[in-house]
Amino acid sequence: MDKPSVEKIVIVGGGTAGWLAAASISKLLGDNLQVTLIESDEIGTIGVGEATIPTMLVLHHLLKINEQEFMSAVNGSFKLGISFENWRALNEKYIHSFGLTGKGCWAAGFHHFWLKGKKLGLSDDFGNYCTELMAAKSDRFAISVDNEKLNYAYHFDAGLYAKFMRKIAEESNVKRIQGKIINVTTDETTGFISTLDLQSGEQIQGDLFIDCSGFAGLIIEKALNTKFDDWSEWLPCNRAVAVQTASTSEPAPYTRAIARDAGWQWKIPLQSRVGNGLVYCSRYISDTEAESLLLSKVDGSLLTKPRLIKFRTGQRKLHWNKNCIALGLAAGFVEPLESTSIHMVQKGIIRLLQMFPREGIKAADRNEFNYQMREEFLFIRDFIVLHYHLTERTDTSFWNHCRSMAIPETLRHRLDLFRESGRIFQKDRDLFAENSWAQVMLGQGLMPAHYHPIVNMMTDADLSSFLKDIEGRATRRVTQLPKHKQFIDRYCKAIV
Ligand SMILES: Cc1cc2nc3c(=O)[nH]c(=O)nc-3n(C[C@H](O)[C@H](O)[C@H](O)COP(=O)(O)OP(=O)(O)OC[C@H]3O[C@@H](n4cnc5c(N)ncnc54)[C@H](O)[C@@H]3O)c2cc1C
């Protein structure tokens, strides 16, 4: 059933999802809306989620955020990609960078040219043809080089990020209520959420509720019983232990994802500290073992106590149910390997703004929103499963399981296509472009049997100079860049 016009928006939760939603809705659409955010100091936020992908810059641009001020305020560093270490095999590594590798043509991506070069002994490492990747490897960074912007994202302190967004939201008249929600009432006829009861006795009413309550899923699940598609069959990790440490070296312009015996470890370098964590599967390692392993693998003194986080991978069956839209961890979680969660929060926000139900909540809007969110989550799921499944590791039960497990049919098809012919097609709503799939599939050791015949239109000599030119250009551009730390000090030194 349709609901009359939407004026009062209630956001439940003040983590990254809640404050980002509050800032965006109020600043971009808010003049005629009343936006209230409820958060509980007693419950707190998850406190992780510090690596992002380049799409973050799009929403920041819409919000007219000054990058220098922002980066200073959040202890930020720049990110050019992720270094995957020990994933394919122990002591092997590759970088999945945000830059474009080489140059393809209308019929075939660059990796086809590179493959032929490799067969002829003309190609260097695939990454050598990408400026961002080479810059990451040599710890160099600038916003642009040769008047071309690099493709980059941010690392930041999650607590400071929420604070930064809160300031924008409150300046745009978002009302904040601190308190714990203890009861959610739904309308008997429509099933729509009508009132939230706070522990203080206060009652909050709204037209549209945005559930950003984290894994609790207070409204979308506990009140509306939306149900969850569980992906633990393909993504077996279900826990993380996180700790912050003091920096012992200059921040690298990339995240490190280091595969361990039963999961993987992250290292996210900020200006003055490092965010660390171990994501693991509790079937293969106990919480105590995981914590000891993490502590034995971090550098620098501990700034926080290790914190255990339990999670389940998957997504809600509906992201928008009745008059509730779930964002952030309340909507789903594909695990943090490719830093996609905050991106999905942003996608949900932008989609909501595009389909804003000012004149009433309509089933068609809801269906479209759910279809688009679900699709996008599924593509990300496949991309993450790829990293686990395409491994040559046989040294632990966890990796044996990942290597031999059944995978989603959609991913199986992509792998077959690439293995047989090197072909990759980016689908609508697939976050990861051809080049990302190529970097990770090659990085994980999947070599196509053939390259596209269009490559044979080039003579071997032309192919050789084509490859040399691209590699030479990337190398030359990187030498023009300052060291990452030097750039940060000049551009956006943290306000301590
Ligand atoms: C181990 C791990 C690593 C991650 N790493 C990354 C990463 O590198 N990059 C990335 O993009 N994402 C990452 N994520 C995901 C990221 O942390 C989240 O997407 C992001 O922080 C948003 O969280 P949230 O706001 O949905 O939830 P939370 O931060 O948990 O906030 C929930 C809010 O709801 C409030 N709340 C809950 N119940 C009530 C109640 N009853 N009454 C009132 N208020 C209530 C809480 O007080 C809090 O304010 C990671 C997640 C995990 C688990």
Side-chain angles (χ1 to χ4, degrees), residues 21 24-26 28-30 33 59 62 347-357 369:
S24 309
I25 296 168
S26 58
L28 300 175
L29 205 65
L33 302 170
L59 186 58
L62 289 176
K347 289 299 289 212
I349 293 169
I350 290 177
R351 209 157 264 151
L352 166 62
L353 294 176
Q354 286 168 338
M355 300 184 193
F356 196 80
F369 185 93

Side-chain angles (χ1 to χ4, degrees), residues 56 118 147 184 315 355 392 422 444 466 481:
M56 171 158 273
K118 193 170 161 59
N147 292 322
V184 180
Q315 67 173 326
M355 300 184 193
E392 293 162 14
Q444 296 285 145
F466 172 70
L481 300 173

Side-chain angles (χ1 to χ4, degrees), residues 12-19 38-53 79 158 179-182 198 212-216 218 239-242 266 268 279 309-311 327-330 332-333 335-336 338-343 345:
V12 173
T16 300
W19 282 115
I38 306 167
E39 64 178 325
S40 156
D41 289 347
E42 182 191 324
I43 296 172
T45 64
I46 190 132
V48 286
E50 307 201 314
T52 63
I53 57 174
K79 173 178 172 188
K180 189 170 169 184
I181 297 161
I182 51 165
L198 302 188
C212 300
S213 64
F215 287 127
L218 197 67
R239 289 189 190 185
V241 54
W266 79 76
I268 301 178
V279 173
I309 300 163
K310 295 183 183 174
F311 62 81
L327 293 175
L329 298 171
F333 186 50
E335 85 132 91
E338 285 278 359
S339 326
T340 45
S341 292
I342 301 172
H343 161 82
V345 172

